[in-house]
Amino acid sequence: MSKITAAITAVGAYVPEYVLTNQILETMVDTNDEWITSRTGIKERRILKEEGKGTSFLAIKAAQDLINKRGIDPKEIELVIVATATPDMKAASTAAFTATQIGAVNAFSFDLEAACSSFLFGMSTAARYIESGKYKNVLLIGADKNSSMINYEDRATCIIFGDGAGAVLFEPNEENLGLQDEYLRSDGSGRDFLQATYGGSSYPTTVDAIEKGAHYVFQDGKTVFKNAVSRMADVAVKILERNNLTNDDIAWLAAHQANKRIVDATANRIDLDKDKVMMNIEKYGNTTSATLPLLLNDYESQLKKGDNIVFAAFGGGFTWGSIYLKWAYNS
Ligand code: UT7
């Protein structure tokens, strides 16, 4: 019997309707379109405005999009993973609520949190369940309502983040398509540079903390930038070397959309042409766990069966890594 690999067989996505443009941000904080565009590549981002709607709202919509496109009966889904840094609530699993709402009533489900690397690490996790031979349909959703933890008076963070969700289905493959290799890393000494200090178990929210805005995301952008540039590129190089791949063998780079300059630096390190670099940061900003599936959704029509795709991500914690995957279908 041939080896079972874990292939992506469908993609879905959802972004909220409200568009927060650089021009609108100019009226909110001391910034301007030229600065944001040249430093980050971002022109606009989507924000989920409706009260009471959390990350699961985005995750459900993305999953439903995938289910409709693929025509799969949700009862056949056996596992739902929601990769997110912004769960609906503490203690209650966002994935459990999402799975029930989409009709995946035979699935078990859990959340996976690794900041901006959540979806990448989720790909590795989903693949292991498929490769075990015990599971046939694993739904991985990357969803984040970043606006729930952003201070819209802090120009260092509010220009970067957006809300959104994307979903992929993993199924067994016997043609050796799907996930081929991965190199995943973390370094906890990085957490001082990107975090929301209050609101977790170390520092539960207090009135004082809220008054100081210490429950919002804080980022030392320069330090995160430096680490992201070097570490994301290092792991992409490692994945290529380990699999004897040259730039000519790579059809696409799908890199976490945190800053266009970070993605460009990674592409330069592996000497990849611009037209092989997936990019949609201009439309959505940094959607944390949703950037990679949103890229796949936007580029799906251009992807061909057998295409070699290198994924790369870097996020808070620090967490980072790279995955090499062979695309499994023509759309
Ligand atoms: O997804 C998780 C990982 N996150 C990332 O990878 C994000 C990594 N970091 C970054 O993308 C960049 O560091 C930022 C986009 C956050 C900032 O860009 P930068 O080129 O590192 O700018 P900076 O923080 O060094 O600031 C440069 C200047 C400063 O002014 P002075 O001191 O040179 O006079 C800032 O005060 O730009 C100023 N500045 C701004 N000006 C207009 C900072 N933010 C803004 C702003 N608008 N929004």
Side-chain angles (χ1 to χ4, degrees), residues 16-124:
E17 274 170 31
Y18 179 78
V19 181
L20 178 59
T21 62
N22 289 351
Q23 287 71 26
I24 298 173
L25 280 167
E26 285 177 2
T27 68
M28 296 163 64
V29 289
D30 180 15
T31 191
N32 58 77
D33 176 50
E34 200 281 318
W35 192 96
I36 301 172
T37 307
S38 61
R39 297 288 178 124
T40 71
I42 304 167
K43 295 301 260 183
E44 55 190 46
R45 53 303 279 144
R46 300 300 183 99
I47 306 293
L48 180 58
K49 287 264 188 190
E50 292 90 335
E51 209 175 308
K53 287 183 177 162
T55 291
S56 66
F57 179 83
L58 305 165
I60 290 163
K61 292 269 195 195
Q64 286 169 337
D65 182 46
L66 181 150
I67 288 165
N68 292 336
K69 274 165 72 182
R70 174 75 174 157
I72 185 176
D73 180 349
K75 293 193 188 72
E76 288 175 21
I77 298 168
E78 298 153 294
L79 165 59
V80 176
I81 302 171
V82 174
T84 186
T86 53
D88 281 4
M89 295 169 185
K90 282 185 200 157
S93 162
T94 301
F97 182 74
T98 301
T100 300
Q101 292 296 310
I102 62 171
V105 291
N106 295 316
F108 77 107
S109 53
F110 57 85
D111 297 350
L112 189 156
E113 203 279 310
C116 290
S117 304
S118 300
F119 188 85
L120 190 84
F121 290 9
M123 288 173 68
S124 160

Side-chain angles (χ1 to χ4, degrees), residues 242-262:
R242 217 156 73 170
N243 292 279
N244 298 318
L245 298 168
T246 69
N247 51 2
D248 285 341
D249 302 316
I250 304 303
W252 297 100
L253 171 69
H256 172 55
Q257 306 283 289
N259 186 316
K260 184 175 180 299
R261 290 186 290 145
I262 298 173

